[in-house]
Structures are given as C-alpha cells and as structure tokens.
Short mmCIF file of all heavy atoms in Angstrom, two decimals:
data_model
loop_
_atom_site.label_atom_id
_atom_site.label_comp_id
_atom_site.label_asym_id
_atom_site.label_seq_id
_atom_site.Cartn_x
_atom_site.Cartn_y
_atom_site.Cartn_z
N MET A 1 84.15 59.23 69.10
CA MET A 1 82.88 59.79 69.52
C MET A 1 82.68 59.61 70.99
O MET A 1 82.21 60.47 71.65
CB MET A 1 81.75 59.24 68.66
CG MET A 1 80.44 59.75 69.04
SD MET A 1 80.08 61.22 68.09
CE MET A 1 78.37 61.24 68.16
N HIS A 2 83.05 58.43 71.46
CA HIS A 2 82.84 58.13 72.89
C HIS A 2 83.68 59.11 73.76
O HIS A 2 83.24 59.57 74.81
CB HIS A 2 83.21 56.66 73.12
CG HIS A 2 82.89 56.18 74.51
ND1 HIS A 2 81.57 56.05 74.93
CD2 HIS A 2 83.63 55.84 75.59
CE1 HIS A 2 81.60 55.62 76.17
NE2 HIS A 2 82.83 55.50 76.60
N THR A 3 84.90 59.34 73.33
CA THR A 3 85.81 60.26 74.00
C THR A 3 85.28 61.70 74.05
O THR A 3 85.34 62.40 75.02
CB THR A 3 87.21 60.25 73.44
OG1 THR A 3 87.66 58.91 73.44
CG2 THR A 3 88.15 61.12 74.19
N ALA A 4 84.72 62.14 72.91
CA ALA A 4 84.12 63.47 72.85
C ALA A 4 82.98 63.61 73.80
O ALA A 4 82.82 64.67 74.43
CB ALA A 4 83.70 63.78 71.42
N ALA A 5 82.15 62.62 73.90
CA ALA A 5 80.98 62.69 74.85
C ALA A 5 81.49 62.75 76.29
O ALA A 5 80.93 63.46 77.11
CB ALA A 5 80.11 61.46 74.65
N ARG A 6 82.56 61.99 76.58
CA ARG A 6 83.12 62.01 77.92
C ARG A 6 83.72 63.41 78.28
O ARG A 6 83.48 63.95 79.35
CB ARG A 6 84.22 60.97 78.05
CG ARG A 6 84.67 60.75 79.43
CD ARG A 6 85.70 59.62 79.55
NE ARG A 6 85.15 58.39 78.99
CZ ARG A 6 85.86 57.34 78.67
NH1 ARG A 6 87.16 57.39 78.78
NH2 ARG A 6 85.30 56.26 78.22
N ILE A 7 84.38 64.01 77.28
CA ILE A 7 84.98 65.37 77.49
C ILE A 7 83.85 66.39 77.75
O ILE A 7 83.92 67.21 78.65
CB ILE A 7 85.90 65.73 76.34
CG1 ILE A 7 87.13 64.93 76.33
CG2 ILE A 7 86.23 67.23 76.40
CD1 ILE A 7 88.00 65.06 75.13
N ALA A 8 82.80 66.28 76.94
CA ALA A 8 81.68 67.21 77.08
C ALA A 8 81.00 67.04 78.47
O ALA A 8 80.65 68.02 79.09
CB ALA A 8 80.61 66.95 75.98
N GLY A 9 80.93 65.81 78.93
CA GLY A 9 80.34 65.57 80.28
C GLY A 9 81.20 66.15 81.35
O GLY A 9 80.71 66.76 82.33
N VAL A 10 82.52 66.00 81.20
CA VAL A 10 83.40 66.57 82.23
C VAL A 10 83.35 68.09 82.23
O VAL A 10 83.28 68.67 83.32
CB VAL A 10 84.89 66.08 81.99
CG1 VAL A 10 85.87 66.88 82.81
CG2 VAL A 10 85.00 64.60 82.22
N LEU A 11 83.29 68.68 81.07
CA LEU A 11 83.21 70.17 80.98
C LEU A 11 81.91 70.66 81.56
O LEU A 11 81.84 71.71 82.28
CB LEU A 11 83.42 70.66 79.56
CG LEU A 11 84.79 70.49 78.98
CD1 LEU A 11 84.80 70.90 77.53
CD2 LEU A 11 85.82 71.27 79.80
N THR A 12 80.84 69.94 81.29
CA THR A 12 79.53 70.34 81.88
C THR A 12 79.57 70.22 83.42
O THR A 12 79.11 71.16 84.09
CB THR A 12 78.39 69.48 81.30
OG1 THR A 12 78.39 69.62 79.91
CG2 THR A 12 77.08 69.82 81.87
N GLY A 13 80.12 69.13 83.91
CA GLY A 13 80.20 68.97 85.36
C GLY A 13 81.08 70.03 85.99
O GLY A 13 80.70 70.56 87.05
N LEU A 14 82.15 70.37 85.38
CA LEU A 14 83.03 71.43 85.88
C LEU A 14 82.36 72.76 85.93
O LEU A 14 82.41 73.48 86.90
CB LEU A 14 84.29 71.51 85.02
CG LEU A 14 85.37 72.49 85.49
CD1 LEU A 14 85.89 72.16 86.83
CD2 LEU A 14 86.51 72.50 84.47
N THR A 15 81.58 73.08 84.86
CA THR A 15 80.85 74.37 84.82
C THR A 15 79.80 74.42 85.94
O THR A 15 79.68 75.44 86.62
CB THR A 15 80.13 74.49 83.45
OG1 THR A 15 81.16 74.47 82.42
CG2 THR A 15 79.39 75.80 83.38
N LEU A 16 79.12 73.34 86.13
CA LEU A 16 78.12 73.33 87.21
C LEU A 16 78.73 73.41 88.58
O LEU A 16 78.22 74.08 89.47
CB LEU A 16 77.23 72.03 87.12
CG LEU A 16 76.29 71.98 85.92
CD1 LEU A 16 75.67 70.62 85.86
CD2 LEU A 16 75.27 73.04 85.97
N ALA A 17 79.90 72.78 88.75
CA ALA A 17 80.52 72.81 90.04
C ALA A 17 81.05 74.20 90.35
O ALA A 17 80.89 74.73 91.49
CB ALA A 17 81.72 71.81 90.08
N LEU A 18 81.64 74.85 89.40
CA LEU A 18 82.17 76.21 89.59
C LEU A 18 81.03 77.22 89.79
O LEU A 18 81.13 78.11 90.61
CB LEU A 18 83.08 76.60 88.46
CG LEU A 18 84.36 75.83 88.34
CD1 LEU A 18 85.13 76.29 87.13
CD2 LEU A 18 85.21 76.02 89.59
N GLY A 19 79.93 77.02 89.05
CA GLY A 19 78.80 77.91 89.18
C GLY A 19 78.21 77.75 90.53
O GLY A 19 77.76 78.72 91.16
N GLY A 20 78.05 76.54 91.06
CA GLY A 20 77.55 76.28 92.40
C GLY A 20 78.35 76.86 93.48
O GLY A 20 77.88 77.35 94.52
N ALA A 21 79.68 76.92 93.30
CA ALA A 21 80.56 77.52 94.27
C ALA A 21 80.28 79.00 94.44
O ALA A 21 80.42 79.55 95.52
CB ALA A 21 82.04 77.28 93.92
N ALA A 22 79.89 79.66 93.40
CA ALA A 22 79.60 81.09 93.45
C ALA A 22 78.34 81.33 94.36
O ALA A 22 78.30 82.35 95.02
CB ALA A 22 79.32 81.62 92.07
N PHE A 23 77.41 80.39 94.44
CA PHE A 23 76.28 80.56 95.29
C PHE A 23 76.58 80.27 96.74
O PHE A 23 75.96 80.79 97.63
CB PHE A 23 75.09 79.67 94.79
CG PHE A 23 74.53 80.12 93.52
CD1 PHE A 23 74.67 79.40 92.36
CD2 PHE A 23 73.77 81.31 93.45
CE1 PHE A 23 74.16 79.81 91.14
CE2 PHE A 23 73.24 81.73 92.27
CZ PHE A 23 73.42 81.00 91.08
N VAL A 24 77.53 79.39 96.96
CA VAL A 24 77.87 79.00 98.30
C VAL A 24 78.66 80.13 99.01
O VAL A 24 78.40 80.43 100.16
CB VAL A 24 78.67 77.70 98.34
CG1 VAL A 24 79.18 77.35 99.73
CG2 VAL A 24 77.82 76.59 97.83
N ALA A 25 79.61 80.70 98.36
CA ALA A 25 80.47 81.74 98.93
C ALA A 25 80.32 83.01 98.11
O ALA A 25 80.92 83.14 97.08
CB ALA A 25 81.92 81.24 98.95
N PRO A 26 79.51 83.98 98.60
CA PRO A 26 79.32 85.17 97.81
C PRO A 26 80.66 85.92 97.68
O PRO A 26 81.32 86.25 98.61
CB PRO A 26 78.38 85.99 98.67
CG PRO A 26 77.87 85.11 99.73
CD PRO A 26 78.77 83.93 99.82
N ALA A 27 81.04 86.16 96.40
CA ALA A 27 82.29 86.82 96.13
C ALA A 27 82.27 88.30 96.43
O ALA A 27 83.31 88.91 96.62
CB ALA A 27 82.68 86.56 94.66
N HIS A 28 81.05 88.89 96.47
CA HIS A 28 80.98 90.31 96.63
C HIS A 28 80.32 90.72 97.95
O HIS A 28 79.61 91.70 98.00
CB HIS A 28 80.18 90.90 95.45
CG HIS A 28 80.82 90.59 94.10
ND1 HIS A 28 82.01 91.13 93.71
CD2 HIS A 28 80.45 89.75 93.14
CE1 HIS A 28 82.30 90.65 92.52
NE2 HIS A 28 81.39 89.80 92.15
N ALA A 29 80.52 89.91 98.96
CA ALA A 29 79.96 90.22 100.25
C ALA A 29 80.51 91.56 100.73
O ALA A 29 81.69 91.84 100.51
CB ALA A 29 80.31 89.12 101.23
N ASP A 30 79.68 92.35 101.33
CA ASP A 30 80.08 93.70 101.67
C ASP A 30 79.93 94.01 103.17
O ASP A 30 79.10 94.80 103.56
CB ASP A 30 79.31 94.73 100.86
CG ASP A 30 80.09 96.02 100.65
OD1 ASP A 30 81.07 96.24 101.43
OD2 ASP A 30 79.75 96.75 99.76
N ILE A 31 80.69 93.33 103.98
CA ILE A 31 80.69 93.54 105.42
C ILE A 31 81.14 94.96 105.74
O ILE A 31 80.56 95.64 106.56
CB ILE A 31 81.53 92.49 106.17
CG1 ILE A 31 80.80 91.10 106.02
CG2 ILE A 31 81.71 92.85 107.60
CD1 ILE A 31 81.55 89.96 106.57
N PRO A 32 82.21 95.52 105.06
CA PRO A 32 82.60 96.86 105.38
C PRO A 32 81.48 97.92 105.18
O PRO A 32 81.37 98.86 105.95
CB PRO A 32 83.81 97.14 104.46
CG PRO A 32 84.38 95.81 104.18
CD PRO A 32 83.16 94.90 104.15
N ALA A 33 80.70 97.80 104.16
CA ALA A 33 79.60 98.72 103.89
C ALA A 33 78.56 98.63 105.07
O ALA A 33 78.05 99.64 105.52
CB ALA A 33 78.93 98.45 102.56
N CYS A 34 78.31 97.41 105.46
CA CYS A 34 77.39 97.19 106.59
C CYS A 34 77.89 97.81 107.90
O CYS A 34 77.18 98.56 108.53
CB CYS A 34 77.19 95.67 106.80
SG CYS A 34 76.13 95.20 108.18
N THR A 35 79.19 97.53 108.21
CA THR A 35 79.77 98.11 109.44
C THR A 35 79.88 99.64 109.33
O THR A 35 79.69 100.32 110.32
CB THR A 35 81.10 97.50 109.76
OG1 THR A 35 81.99 97.67 108.69
CG2 THR A 35 80.94 96.01 110.08
N ASN A 36 80.13 100.17 108.16
CA ASN A 36 80.26 101.66 108.01
C ASN A 36 78.87 102.28 108.28
O ASN A 36 78.81 103.36 108.90
CB ASN A 36 80.77 102.00 106.61
CG ASN A 36 82.26 101.77 106.48
OD1 ASN A 36 82.95 101.74 107.48
ND2 ASN A 36 82.69 101.62 105.28
N MET A 37 77.83 101.67 107.77
CA MET A 37 76.48 102.28 107.98
C MET A 37 76.14 102.23 109.49
O MET A 37 75.60 103.20 110.04
CB MET A 37 75.41 101.51 107.20
CG MET A 37 74.04 102.09 107.39
SD MET A 37 72.77 101.40 106.36
CE MET A 37 73.04 102.36 104.89
N VAL A 38 76.48 101.15 110.19
CA VAL A 38 76.28 101.07 111.62
C VAL A 38 77.09 102.15 112.35
O VAL A 38 76.60 102.87 113.22
CB VAL A 38 76.65 99.66 112.16
CG1 VAL A 38 76.62 99.63 113.66
CG2 VAL A 38 75.71 98.64 111.61
N ARG A 39 78.37 102.35 111.92
CA ARG A 39 79.22 103.33 112.54
C ARG A 39 78.63 104.72 112.36
O ARG A 39 78.70 105.57 113.27
CB ARG A 39 80.60 103.28 111.91
CG ARG A 39 81.61 104.22 112.56
CD ARG A 39 83.01 104.13 111.95
NE ARG A 39 83.60 102.82 112.29
CZ ARG A 39 83.91 101.88 111.36
NH1 ARG A 39 83.69 102.13 110.09
NH2 ARG A 39 84.44 100.75 111.75
N GLN A 40 78.02 105.01 111.20
CA GLN A 40 77.43 106.34 110.96
C GLN A 40 76.24 106.64 111.89
O GLN A 40 75.95 107.82 112.09
CB GLN A 40 76.96 106.39 109.51
CG GLN A 40 78.11 106.48 108.52
CD GLN A 40 77.59 106.41 107.08
OE1 GLN A 40 76.41 106.36 106.80
NE2 GLN A 40 78.54 106.42 106.14
N THR A 41 75.66 105.63 112.48
CA THR A 41 74.58 105.88 113.44
C THR A 41 75.12 106.17 114.88
O THR A 41 74.35 106.44 115.77
CB THR A 41 73.60 104.68 113.49
OG1 THR A 41 74.28 103.56 114.12
CG2 THR A 41 73.05 104.36 112.15
N GLY A 42 76.46 106.08 115.03
CA GLY A 42 77.03 106.35 116.32
C GLY A 42 77.25 105.13 117.15
O GLY A 42 77.74 105.19 118.29
N VAL A 43 76.98 103.93 116.60
CA VAL A 43 77.25 102.64 117.33
C VAL A 43 78.65 102.19 116.99
O VAL A 43 79.09 102.19 115.89
CB VAL A 43 76.22 101.58 116.88
CG1 VAL A 43 76.52 100.26 117.48
CG2 VAL A 43 74.81 102.06 117.23
N ASP A 44 79.39 101.85 118.06
CA ASP A 44 80.73 101.31 117.88
C ASP A 44 80.70 100.00 117.16
O ASP A 44 79.84 99.13 117.49
CB ASP A 44 81.41 101.14 119.21
CG ASP A 44 81.82 102.47 119.89
OD1 ASP A 44 82.04 103.48 119.14
OD2 ASP A 44 81.81 102.52 121.09
N VAL A 45 81.61 99.79 116.23
CA VAL A 45 81.67 98.46 115.50
C VAL A 45 82.45 97.50 116.39
O VAL A 45 83.61 97.64 116.58
CB VAL A 45 82.32 98.70 114.14
CG1 VAL A 45 82.54 97.35 113.43
CG2 VAL A 45 81.50 99.64 113.31
N SER A 46 81.68 96.54 116.85
CA SER A 46 82.29 95.52 117.73
C SER A 46 82.20 94.18 117.02
O SER A 46 81.73 94.06 115.89
CB SER A 46 81.44 95.43 118.98
OG SER A 46 80.11 95.05 118.71
N ASP A 47 82.68 93.14 117.69
CA ASP A 47 82.58 91.79 117.17
C ASP A 47 81.08 91.45 116.93
O ASP A 47 80.78 90.72 115.99
CB ASP A 47 83.19 90.75 118.11
CG ASP A 47 84.72 90.83 118.10
OD1 ASP A 47 85.25 91.38 117.10
OD2 ASP A 47 85.36 90.35 119.05
N ALA A 48 80.22 91.92 117.81
CA ALA A 48 78.77 91.61 117.66
C ALA A 48 78.25 92.23 116.34
O ALA A 48 77.43 91.59 115.66
CB ALA A 48 77.98 92.13 118.81
N VAL A 49 78.73 93.45 116.00
CA VAL A 49 78.27 94.10 114.80
C VAL A 49 78.80 93.35 113.58
O VAL A 49 78.08 93.05 112.62
CB VAL A 49 78.71 95.58 114.76
CG1 VAL A 49 78.50 96.20 113.40
CG2 VAL A 49 78.00 96.36 115.82
N ARG A 50 80.09 92.96 113.60
CA ARG A 50 80.68 92.23 112.49
C ARG A 50 79.98 90.88 112.28
O ARG A 50 79.72 90.45 111.21
CB ARG A 50 82.18 92.05 112.68
CG ARG A 50 82.94 93.33 112.38
CD ARG A 50 84.47 93.13 112.42
NE ARG A 50 84.95 93.12 113.80
CZ ARG A 50 85.21 94.24 114.52
NH1 ARG A 50 84.98 95.42 113.95
NH2 ARG A 50 85.63 94.17 115.73
N SER A 51 79.63 90.22 113.44
CA SER A 51 78.94 88.98 113.37
C SER A 51 77.53 89.12 112.75
O SER A 51 77.09 88.34 111.94
CB SER A 51 78.83 88.36 114.74
OG SER A 51 78.09 87.19 114.74
N ALA A 52 76.85 90.18 113.12
CA ALA A 52 75.53 90.48 112.57
C ALA A 52 75.63 90.72 111.09
O ALA A 52 74.82 90.21 110.32
CB ALA A 52 74.91 91.71 113.27
N CYS A 53 76.64 91.52 110.65
CA CYS A 53 76.81 91.77 109.22
C CYS A 53 77.11 90.49 108.46
O CYS A 53 76.67 90.32 107.32
CB CYS A 53 77.84 92.84 109.04
SG CYS A 53 77.38 94.51 109.54
N THR A 54 77.84 89.61 109.09
CA THR A 54 78.13 88.32 108.45
C THR A 54 76.85 87.50 108.28
O THR A 54 76.70 86.83 107.24
CB THR A 54 79.16 87.52 109.29
OG1 THR A 54 80.36 88.30 109.44
CG2 THR A 54 79.48 86.20 108.68
N GLN A 55 75.94 87.59 109.22
CA GLN A 55 74.60 86.94 109.05
C GLN A 55 73.91 87.51 107.83
O GLN A 55 73.29 86.77 107.08
CB GLN A 55 73.76 87.17 110.29
CG GLN A 55 74.13 86.33 111.49
CD GLN A 55 73.20 86.60 112.63
OE1 GLN A 55 73.23 87.70 113.20
NE2 GLN A 55 72.36 85.64 112.97
N GLY A 56 74.03 88.78 107.62
CA GLY A 56 73.41 89.44 106.42
C GLY A 56 74.03 88.90 105.15
O GLY A 56 73.32 88.67 104.17
N VAL A 57 75.31 88.76 105.16
CA VAL A 57 76.02 88.19 103.96
C VAL A 57 75.46 86.82 103.59
O VAL A 57 75.32 86.50 102.47
CB VAL A 57 77.53 88.14 104.21
CG1 VAL A 57 78.23 87.31 103.16
CG2 VAL A 57 78.11 89.56 104.26
N HIS A 58 75.15 86.05 104.63
CA HIS A 58 74.70 84.70 104.39
C HIS A 58 73.19 84.63 104.19
O HIS A 58 72.61 83.56 104.20
CB HIS A 58 75.17 83.75 105.54
CG HIS A 58 76.61 83.63 105.55
ND1 HIS A 58 77.31 82.91 104.59
CD2 HIS A 58 77.56 84.09 106.37
CE1 HIS A 58 78.59 82.94 104.87
NE2 HIS A 58 78.78 83.65 105.96
N GLY A 59 72.53 85.77 104.07
CA GLY A 59 71.13 85.76 103.71
C GLY A 59 70.18 85.75 104.94
O GLY A 59 68.95 85.75 104.72
N ASP A 60 70.69 85.82 106.10
CA ASP A 60 69.85 85.87 107.31
C ASP A 60 69.56 87.29 107.68
O ASP A 60 70.12 87.82 108.65
CB ASP A 60 70.50 85.08 108.46
CG ASP A 60 69.63 85.04 109.71
OD1 ASP A 60 68.44 85.46 109.65
OD2 ASP A 60 70.12 84.60 110.79
N LEU A 61 68.69 87.99 106.86
CA LEU A 61 68.46 89.40 107.10
C LEU A 61 67.76 89.62 108.41
O LEU A 61 68.06 90.58 109.14
CB LEU A 61 67.67 89.95 105.93
CG LEU A 61 68.42 89.96 104.59
CD1 LEU A 61 67.49 90.52 103.49
CD2 LEU A 61 69.69 90.72 104.70
N ARG A 62 66.82 88.76 108.73
CA ARG A 62 66.07 88.93 110.03
C ARG A 62 67.01 88.82 111.21
O ARG A 62 66.94 89.62 112.15
CB ARG A 62 64.96 87.88 110.11
CG ARG A 62 64.02 88.13 111.27
CD ARG A 62 62.89 87.16 111.24
NE ARG A 62 62.12 87.45 110.03
CZ ARG A 62 61.05 86.68 109.67
NH1 ARG A 62 60.72 85.64 110.36
NH2 ARG A 62 60.38 86.97 108.59
N GLY A 63 67.89 87.83 111.19
CA GLY A 63 68.88 87.67 112.28
C GLY A 63 69.84 88.83 112.34
O GLY A 63 70.24 89.29 113.42
N CYS A 64 70.24 89.29 111.16
CA CYS A 64 71.16 90.44 111.12
C CYS A 64 70.57 91.70 111.73
O CYS A 64 71.15 92.33 112.56
CB CYS A 64 71.54 90.67 109.64
SG CYS A 64 72.60 92.17 109.34
N VAL A 65 69.36 92.00 111.30
CA VAL A 65 68.67 93.19 111.79
C VAL A 65 68.43 93.09 113.28
O VAL A 65 68.64 94.04 114.05
CB VAL A 65 67.33 93.38 111.08
CG1 VAL A 65 66.49 94.48 111.71
CG2 VAL A 65 67.57 93.76 109.57
N SER A 66 68.02 91.91 113.75
CA SER A 66 67.76 91.69 115.17
C SER A 66 69.06 91.90 115.98
O SER A 66 69.01 92.59 117.00
CB SER A 66 67.20 90.30 115.40
OG SER A 66 67.11 90.04 116.77
N ALA A 67 70.14 91.34 115.51
CA ALA A 67 71.41 91.52 116.22
C ALA A 67 71.88 92.95 116.25
O ALA A 67 72.41 93.43 117.25
CB ALA A 67 72.51 90.61 115.59
N LEU A 68 71.72 93.67 115.12
CA LEU A 68 72.12 95.06 115.07
C LEU A 68 71.29 95.93 115.93
O LEU A 68 71.82 96.84 116.62
CB LEU A 68 72.16 95.56 113.64
CG LEU A 68 73.24 95.04 112.73
CD1 LEU A 68 73.14 95.64 111.35
CD2 LEU A 68 74.63 95.30 113.30
N THR A 69 69.99 95.69 115.99
CA THR A 69 69.18 96.51 116.89
C THR A 69 69.45 96.24 118.33
O THR A 69 69.31 97.15 119.19
CB THR A 69 67.67 96.35 116.57
OG1 THR A 69 67.34 94.95 116.66
CG2 THR A 69 67.30 96.86 115.17
N GLN A 70 69.85 95.03 118.65
CA GLN A 70 70.20 94.69 120.04
C GLN A 70 71.41 95.47 120.52
O GLN A 70 71.55 95.74 121.72
CB GLN A 70 70.45 93.22 120.22
CG GLN A 70 69.16 92.41 120.18
CD GLN A 70 69.45 90.90 120.30
OE1 GLN A 70 70.56 90.45 120.51
NE2 GLN A 70 68.41 90.11 120.18
N VAL A 71 72.31 95.84 119.60
CA VAL A 71 73.49 96.62 120.04
C VAL A 71 73.25 98.11 119.89
O VAL A 71 74.19 98.89 120.05
CB VAL A 71 74.78 96.18 119.26
CG1 VAL A 71 75.10 94.74 119.62
CG2 VAL A 71 74.65 96.40 117.77
N GLY A 72 72.01 98.53 119.54
CA GLY A 72 71.68 99.94 119.54
C GLY A 72 71.53 100.60 118.20
O GLY A 72 71.31 101.81 118.09
N THR A 73 71.63 99.84 117.14
CA THR A 73 71.47 100.44 115.75
C THR A 73 69.98 100.64 115.54
O THR A 73 69.20 99.75 115.72
CB THR A 73 72.03 99.48 114.72
OG1 THR A 73 73.35 99.07 115.05
CG2 THR A 73 72.01 100.14 113.34
N PRO A 74 69.63 101.89 115.11
CA PRO A 74 68.19 102.13 114.82
C PRO A 74 67.66 101.20 113.77
O PRO A 74 68.41 100.80 112.86
CB PRO A 74 68.18 103.59 114.36
CG PRO A 74 69.44 104.20 114.87
CD PRO A 74 70.45 103.06 114.93
N GLY A 75 66.38 100.82 113.81
CA GLY A 75 65.79 99.81 112.94
C GLY A 75 65.98 100.05 111.45
O GLY A 75 66.39 99.10 110.76
N GLY A 76 65.77 101.26 110.98
CA GLY A 76 65.95 101.51 109.53
C GLY A 76 67.36 101.39 109.11
O GLY A 76 67.66 100.82 108.03
N ALA A 77 68.26 101.87 109.96
CA ALA A 77 69.70 101.75 109.57
C ALA A 77 70.13 100.28 109.65
O ALA A 77 70.96 99.84 108.87
CB ALA A 77 70.49 102.59 110.52
N ALA A 78 69.61 99.55 110.61
CA ALA A 78 69.96 98.12 110.68
C ALA A 78 69.50 97.35 109.47
O ALA A 78 70.26 96.56 108.93
CB ALA A 78 69.33 97.50 111.97
N THR A 79 68.32 97.64 109.04
CA THR A 79 67.79 96.96 107.85
C THR A 79 68.63 97.36 106.59
O THR A 79 69.02 96.51 105.82
CB THR A 79 66.33 97.41 107.58
OG1 THR A 79 65.55 97.00 108.70
CG2 THR A 79 65.76 96.76 106.34
N GLY A 80 68.96 98.67 106.46
CA GLY A 80 69.74 99.07 105.36
C GLY A 80 71.18 98.48 105.39
O GLY A 80 71.69 98.06 104.34
N ALA A 81 71.76 98.37 106.55
CA ALA A 81 73.08 97.80 106.70
C ALA A 81 73.08 96.34 106.30
O ALA A 81 73.99 95.84 105.61
CB ALA A 81 73.62 98.00 108.11
N CYS A 82 72.06 95.62 106.77
CA CYS A 82 71.99 94.20 106.46
C CYS A 82 71.72 93.96 104.96
O CYS A 82 72.29 93.01 104.40
CB CYS A 82 70.89 93.52 107.32
SG CYS A 82 71.30 93.49 109.07
N ARG A 83 71.00 94.82 104.37
CA ARG A 83 70.74 94.69 102.89
C ARG A 83 72.07 94.96 102.11
O ARG A 83 72.28 94.38 101.08
CB ARG A 83 69.62 95.61 102.47
CG ARG A 83 68.26 95.10 102.87
CD ARG A 83 67.19 95.92 102.29
NE ARG A 83 65.88 95.31 102.74
CZ ARG A 83 64.76 95.89 102.67
NH1 ARG A 83 64.67 97.11 102.18
NH2 ARG A 83 63.67 95.26 103.05
N LEU A 84 72.80 95.91 102.58
CA LEU A 84 74.11 96.21 101.97
C LEU A 84 75.03 95.01 102.05
O LEU A 84 75.74 94.68 101.14
CB LEU A 84 74.78 97.39 102.64
CG LEU A 84 74.32 98.79 102.17
CD1 LEU A 84 75.05 99.88 102.96
CD2 LEU A 84 74.55 98.98 100.65
N ALA A 85 74.97 94.32 103.23
CA ALA A 85 75.82 93.17 103.40
C ALA A 85 75.40 92.02 102.45
O ALA A 85 76.27 91.38 101.84
CB ALA A 85 75.74 92.64 104.84
N ALA A 86 74.14 91.87 102.24
CA ALA A 86 73.63 90.77 101.41
C ALA A 86 73.69 91.09 99.91
O ALA A 86 73.96 90.20 99.11
CB ALA A 86 72.21 90.46 101.81
N ASN A 87 73.46 92.34 99.57
CA ASN A 87 73.42 92.76 98.18
C ASN A 87 74.23 93.99 97.93
O ASN A 87 73.68 95.11 97.87
CB ASN A 87 71.98 93.04 97.71
CG ASN A 87 71.11 91.86 97.94
OD1 ASN A 87 71.39 90.74 97.51
ND2 ASN A 87 69.99 92.01 98.63
N PRO A 88 75.53 93.89 97.84
CA PRO A 88 76.35 95.08 97.66
C PRO A 88 76.04 95.82 96.38
O PRO A 88 75.57 95.19 95.40
CB PRO A 88 77.79 94.53 97.67
CG PRO A 88 77.68 93.10 97.21
CD PRO A 88 76.30 92.66 97.75
N PRO A 89 76.25 97.12 96.40
CA PRO A 89 75.96 97.93 95.21
C PRO A 89 76.84 97.57 94.02
O PRO A 89 77.85 96.96 94.09
CB PRO A 89 76.21 99.35 95.66
CG PRO A 89 76.89 99.31 96.99
CD PRO A 89 76.77 97.92 97.46
#
C-alpha cells in the first residue's frame, strides 16, 4: 500500500509539472499570423515587428501594440495582429 501511494504521488506530480510547462511555453504561438497581418498593412516585417509579435505571444498585448504602432502599423491592425499572436485561431 505504501508503494502504491508513492506511485500515485509521483504520477500526480508529473501531471502537474507537464501541465505547468504548457502554460510557460505556449505550444500554439502564432508569430507568422501576426507578422502576416502587419505585412498586409504595407509595413515591412523587420526584427522590430517580430519582436513585437513575440511580446504578444507572451501576453504583453499593450507592449506588442505599442511596438507595432511605432513601426507604422495602424492601431486596429496592430491590435488584431497582437491578438493573433497571443490567441491563434
């Protein structure tokens, strides 16, 4: 019985550890969708655009939108691109 409880504890810990990893590193981050939306507005996709989209992936939507508007992306498109990065379809 003692061994069964230990195995159950290990399996529970493993499940929590793997589940937590999914929150740390989004598996479905969509930087290409973000950069494509920016490109459709006529703004060249530069390192600054990719960096901004990466901010969106990590949940910093305000920082992402701010960075995209600084490189010339219209506000509505910047917001949409950052939301695509954070929450892919």
